[in-house]
Amino acid sequence: MFEGRLYIDGAFRESADKEGFEVRNPYTLAVIGEQAAAADQDLADAFDGATRAFDSWKRLTAYERAGYLRKLDQLMKTHERELAEIITLENGKPLGEALGEVRYAASYVTWYAEEGIRVMGEMIPEHLPHLRLKANRVPIGPTGIITPWNFPLAMFVRKMAPALAAGCTVVVKPAKATPLTAVKLFELIHEAGFPKGVCQLITGESKGIGEAMMAHKGIKKVSFTGSTAVGKALLRASGDTLKKLSLELGGHAPFIVFEDADLKKAVLGAVESKFRNCGQVCIATNRVLVQASVYEDFIEILESEVKKLTFGDGLTGVDMGPIINEAGYEKIVSHVEDALAKGARLITGGRGMRSRGEEGGFLFQPTILADVTPEMRITREETFGPVLPVMVFTEEQEAYDLANSTPYGLAAYAYSRDLSRSFRITESLDFGIIGINSGRISAAQAPFGGMKESGFGREGGRYGIEDYLVLKYTAIAID
Ligand code: NAP
């Protein structure tokens, strides 16, 4: 049994009122841990502590801050197996994927340990002979970080690393379903010796934490990853204190297969982008659009690949784990039922089940639905499950129109061997991230983020640190 605590002002502690909540393994539904639920006093301590620590953290040299990040990076590598096992236990994803998540998260720490020392300012040409004008970029201030359960480590590390490198202190709030990975990471933060108050961990009831974070005057910036509905609520709440926000929200990724594509590669890309983490990924393919002349051929190859996928307990070498909870499972079932009732063709899968009779967690077969049409809910709402809907199109422009017909604008994929078309794809799709002939698109050095109702702000690369910096201009008169 894990006993997860809060981490405030350089020490682990129980909540002030001794309250906690259970953490369950989504495959067995067995309780695997008890996690502290922050009381009002803990929240005040966490936000006040981060506010106090900011003054000294921002005054360290970028090289000194990089030193702490390097230590953390090393510790994450040394403890990668332990971190991965906790991810699998509380999130359910296969252990190999969990290990991939730990390495992906660490790659952001590696990158930002380097990027922090490259935050440059500039001298601006003067308009009066005695003036000297300078612009430099300074840390925006104490930062609140709120992240979901689907990547229990990577989602918050991807924000925390650039924030710390920039000189901001952080208060991290992971999802209630998966707090234990964050606790383990904070043990490593403690071991790395970060100064008191620089990194704070709070867990508990999300609405109250969100309200306290948005209301606290010391917190200058909030970076959120999660649903569009909660992102919009945070944006509204930011008005009173005018916090700067970064919002990484939901998606509805189209995956276009043109007739000149390498069909086998397109199928493998679609499978990779859809079934990772059992489809519970913001950049997961939500709709496959296939040109009419290769439609049936594509479905045939897709069927043979999807039928190879195994699912079950993430600790046992399967390709897919469980659905995170019953609500997630019910949404998947309703999307499949709605599509079938409206005329979709079931190619494979389509059925859900419990892992241990009526007691166990929720599983869903890897599923392909063909002949899907825009009237079906699955073409508009995020399914967050292992269901691949396939639609047909005839003309190139029709594919772009279909692809863009969503309020979301996070990720899109397209397969084609035509060089000119590859430019038209990029120019036509209203998405922040586009994969051409690749189902794998995210990397520490590249900008990750959405357009439209998928939010704003970017994570990764030299772009990701900008969200934690503010420009300061100084005019100096000299004798
Ligand atoms: P969610 O309900 O919005 O939860 C995300 C986080 O916000 C969790 O920590 C949650 O805490 C917290 N939260 C919930 N209500 C809150 C409130 N009123 N105030 C403050 N915090 C609140 O999202 P989810 O359904 O768990 O996660 C899946 C969504 O995240 C999908 O839409 C997915 O596309 C999106 N996502 C986006 C990205 C990206 O980079 N764009 C990456 C991953 C996921 P509790 O869980 O404890 O309630």
Side-chain angles (χ1 to χ4, degrees):
M1 277 283 278
F2 293 90
E3 282 194 24
R5 290 176 293 163
L6 314 170
Y7 186 77
I8 297 172
D9 288 341
F12 284 98
R13 71 187 208 194
E14 292 179 9
S15 78
D17 59 12
K18 309 276 183 270
E19 291 294 322
F21 58 91
E22 289 175 343
V23 183
R24 289 175 186 268
N25 174 329
Y27 179 73
T28 61
L29 290 193
V31 175
I32 54 168
E34 173 86 10
Q35 176 66 31
D40 290 349
Q41 186 57 52
D42 301 310
L43 298 182
D45 290 350
F47 298 135
D48 291 348
T51 306
R52 276 193 306 275
F54 176 59
D55 195 52
S56 46
W57 182 247
K58 77 174 183 194
R59 285 173 201 278
L60 294 186
T61 66
Y63 286 90
E64 287 170 312
R65 289 195 295 267
Y68 289 105
L69 286 168
R70 278 198 204 95
K71 276 187 214 155
L72 178 61
D73 187 18
Q74 198 50 53
L75 285 164
M76 287 176 75
K77 290 181 166 108
T78 311
H79 293 270
E80 63 175 19
R81 178 87 192 178
E82 223 173 319
L83 283 160
E85 281 171 3
I86 302 173
I87 291 175
T88 296
L89 281 175
E90 66 177 358
N91 165 283
K93 69 177 67 177
L95 193 56
E97 268 188 36
L99 205 50
E101 178 178 346
V102 178
R103 290 174 184 162
Y104 172 78
S107 73
Y108 283 80
V109 183
T110 313
W111 177 273
Y112 284 107
E114 297 297 330
E115 193 62 21
I117 60 180
R118 300 201 179 95
V119 174
M120 309 284 175
E122 62 182 353
M123 296 301 292
I124 299 167
E126 59 274 9
H127 56 298
L128 295 170
H130 66 288
L131 275 185
R132 298 294 176 269
L133 314 179
K134 112 180 146 80
N136 60 322
R137 287 138 85 226
V138 299
I140 189 164
T143 294
I145 292 175
I146 304 178
T147 48
W149 47 266
N150 63 343
F151 290 88
L153 184 68
M155 289 302 99
F156 80 85
V157 170
R158 206 163 76 170
K159 300 171 184 301
M160 191 182 76
L164 294 173
C168 300
T169 53
V170 298
V171 182
V172 175
K173 203 248 34 108
K176 215 170 174 183
T178 57
L180 302 174
T181 309
V183 172
K184 179 67 206 171
L185 203 269
F186 270 74
E187 286 174 17
L188 303 183
I189 284 174
H190 187 74
E191 198 176 331
F194 280 82
K196 177 177 146 178
V198 169
C199 306
Q200 317 268 52
L201 174 68
I202 51 173
T203 47
E205 194 269 309
S206 55
K207 192 161 178 295
I209 294 178
E211 283 167 2
M213 187 183 281
M214 298 314 288
H216 196 278
K217 290 198 165 53
I219 301 293
K220 302 297 182 205
K221 155 97 192 170
V222 170
S223 183
F224 171 78
T225 295
S227 61
T228 294
V230 174
K232 286 180 179 176
L234 293 176
L235 183 58
R236 284 189 287 271
S238 70
D240 282 345
T241 54
L242 282 185
K243 293 187 202 318
K244 187 177 171 187
L245 288 193
S246 297
L247 298 176
E248 295 283 350
L249 308 177
H252 204 284
F255 188 109
I256 309 173
V257 183
F258 289 102
E259 58 194 358
D260 64 329
D262 180 322
L263 286 192
K264 176 78 181 182
K265 284 186 180 160
V267 162
L268 294 179
V271 169
E272 181 177 20
S273 74
K274 172 82 254 184
F275 295 101
R276 190 164 58 107
N277 200 12
C278 201
Q280 303 168 114
V281 180
C282 55
I283 56 171
T285 291
N286 275 270
R287 299 164 281 156
V288 184
L289 314 173
V290 187
Q291 202 151 16
S293 55
V294 293
Y295 184 69
E296 291 301 340
D297 290 347
F298 177 84
I299 290 173
E300 195 181 313
I301 307 172
L302 184 65
E303 181 183 0
S304 70
E305 287 302 320
V306 171
K307 278 183 168 162
K308 292 180 195 163
L309 297 176
T310 56
F311 60 101
D313 185 347
L315 290 173
T316 60
V318 291
D319 297 312
M320 283 188 346
I323 309 302
I324 191 73
N325 57 30
E326 187 167 6
Y329 172 81
E330 292 299 344
K331 187 173 185 192
I332 297 164
V333 170
S334 72
H335 276 191
V336 171
E337 284 176 357
D338 173 76
L340 291 175
K342 290 175 181 160
R345 177 163 46 114
L346 182 64
I347 303 294
T348 184
R351 213 168 57 78
M353 66 213 69
R354 309 285 297 260
S355 71
R356 297 183 175 177
E358 287 309 297
E359 303 297 314
F362 297 87
L363 303 166
F364 204 88
Q365 292 177 319
T367 298
I368 305 171
L369 297 171
D371 307 345
V372 167
T373 60
E375 293 71 41
M376 300 172 190
R377 280 177 60 202
I378 201 162
T379 63
R380 297 189 302 276
E381 300 170 20
E382 247 185 324
T383 306
F384 244 51
V387 184
L388 199 50
V390 189
M391 308 168 80
V392 67
F393 72 90
T394 311
E395 301 298 330
E396 183 172 333
Q397 186 57 42
E398 187 190 347
Y400 301 139
D401 292 343
L402 270 171
N404 288 333
S405 64
T406 166
Y408 295 114
L410 187 57
Y413 306 85
Y415 274 67
S416 166
R417 284 183 283 202
D418 180 329
L419 179 63
S420 302
R421 182 181 273 147
S422 75
F423 279 87
R424 292 198 295 276
I425 289 168
T426 310
E427 289 161 16
S428 305
L429 293 176
D430 300 331
F431 293 82
I433 311 165
I434 298 174
I436 299 181
N437 296 331
S438 175
R440 183 170 285 244
I441 48 184
S442 183
Q445 67 276 22
F448 187 105
M451 294 164 63
K452 304 196 309 193
E453 292 192 24
S454 290
F456 42 76
R458 290 293 179 271
E459 294 181 348
R462 64 189 171 83
Y463 319 92
I465 202 163
E466 295 296 336
D467 279 23
Y468 303 95
L469 295 167
V470 65
L471 203 56
K472 189 181 262 187
Y473 160 63
T474 316
I476 309 159
I478 59 168
D479 294 332

